[in-house]
Amino acid sequence: MNTLMYCFIGITINLTSKFSMAYVLGRFKGRHVTFINNMYLILMMIPLISGTASALNLWKSVGVYDTWWHVIIGSIPFFDYYFLILRSFIQGLGSETIEAAKIDGAGNFRIMWQIIFHMHIRE
């Protein structure tokens, strides 16, 4: 059962949270976005492999290990290279597509999931 949870719930959470963050940091400008982007890049440089055993002990002591919450929280992406690929893809898109969608009345959420996400899947 845990394998199925990781396969379906984990991948869905991982993809949606990573793609959403890449969209925000790839399309919007400002001091806050630059700060978050720089922090994300700095945190990518810290190796997280050494914390795996201590994280497992933490999950067990809190009582979350082998539950749905462990799958959900453990599936949130922490600073990997695929985020950089997504962000670069989104930054490389022409603004014509986004402007055409805005003229048609699409908001940011709709542009992100119905246009850019599907363009990324086809690439």
Side-chain angles (χ1 to χ4, degrees):
M1 187 65 179
N2 285 343
T3 303
L4 292 175
M5 287 178 10
Y6 272 112
C7 287
F8 295 111
I9 295 172
I11 290 173
T12 303
I13 291 171
N14 192 318
L15 179 64
T16 56
S17 59
K18 194 177 300 183
F19 188 78
S20 299
M21 183 62 101
Y23 178 77
V24 169
L25 295 179
R27 294 306 301 169
F28 299 110
K29 306 287 184 228
R31 289 185 331 188
H32 295 80
V33 173
T34 304
F35 176 76
I36 293 170
N37 191 20
N38 291 338
M39 290 305 296
Y40 205 88
L41 293 174
I42 289 170
L43 290 172
M44 282 180 68
M45 295 180 213
I46 300 171
L48 296 175
I49 300 298
S50 61
T52 306
S54 60
L56 183 63
N57 288 334
L58 175 69
W59 291 122
K60 286 181 180 179
S61 65
V62 175
V64 182
Y65 183 71
D66 203 22
T67 64
W68 284 82
W69 288 108
H70 180 253
V71 174
I72 292 170
I73 296 170
S75 298
I76 298 172
F78 290 107
F79 320 116
D80 59 352
Y81 69 92
Y82 191 61
F83 162 79
L84 295 176
I85 295 170
L86 281 171
R87 191 191 63 179
S88 297
F89 170 77
I90 292 170
Q91 286 176 337
L93 291 176
S95 60
E96 299 84 18
T97 306
I98 307 252
E99 289 175 12
K102 285 185 179 181
I103 289 172
D104 289 339
N108 284 321
F109 187 77
R110 187 170 189 175
I111 292 170
M112 179 176 65
W113 287 111
Q114 290 187 345
I115 297 172
I116 295 178
F117 183 74
H118 292 289
M119 288 172 70
H120 173 66
I121 297 296
R122 289 185 204 144
E123 289 285 323

